[in-house]
Amino acid sequence: MPTKRIFISLDLPEDGKNQLKNIAKPEMRRIKWMKPDNLHITLVFLGDLGQSQIEKAGEILEETAPNYQGFDLRLVGWRAERDMLWLLPEENETLF
């Protein structure tokens, strides 16, 4: 049975994606620069899931997501890891 790598993430607003796009330096080839449309905040990595597990996770998210509201988030730092640059948020009670 084939699996897919699944994670739960939050989309960034367009203005946030545009700001981050402006710091990308494609000439720095050691970093894997993402397309702005793919920029997101990863909340949790669920692992390699089969189709039935993906569907169950989707059902749980549909039930859970309405319990949460939007929030502001400030990025305050960064960390390089392997070929990626990770932006770090300030502590945020809603996010945690």
Side-chain angles (χ1 to χ4, degrees), residues 7-25 31-43 73 75 84-87:
F7 57 93
I8 298 171
S9 66
L10 300 174
D11 285 334
L12 295 175
E14 286 305 312
D15 62 330
K17 289 180 183 182
N18 289 332
Q19 288 178 19
L20 293 173
K21 176 178 72 174
N22 292 331
I23 69 167
K25 305 263 187 273
I31 296 175
K32 180 179 177 182
W33 298 102
M34 296 179 74
K35 295 177 184 174
D37 287 344
N38 293 338
L39 294 171
H40 62 273
I41 297 172
T42 299
L43 297 177
L73 184 66
L75 300 173
M84 298 186 98
L85 184 64
W86 297 82
L87 298 174

Side-chain angles (χ1 to χ4, degrees), residues 47-91:
D48 294 314
L49 303 182
Q51 188 58 40
S52 64
Q53 294 169 306
I54 294 169
E55 290 171 9
K56 183 64 177 171
E59 291 171 10
I60 292 169
L61 284 171
E62 284 181 14
E63 293 173 14
T64 306
N67 297 322
Y68 295 89
Q69 297 179 4
F71 58 94
D72 292 326
L73 184 66
R74 221 174 119 225
L75 300 173
V76 295
W78 59 274
R79 175 180 88 227
E81 186 176 311
R82 296 187 314 244
D83 64 345
M84 298 186 98
L85 184 64
W86 297 82
L87 298 174
L88 306 173
E90 71 181 352
E91 287 194 26

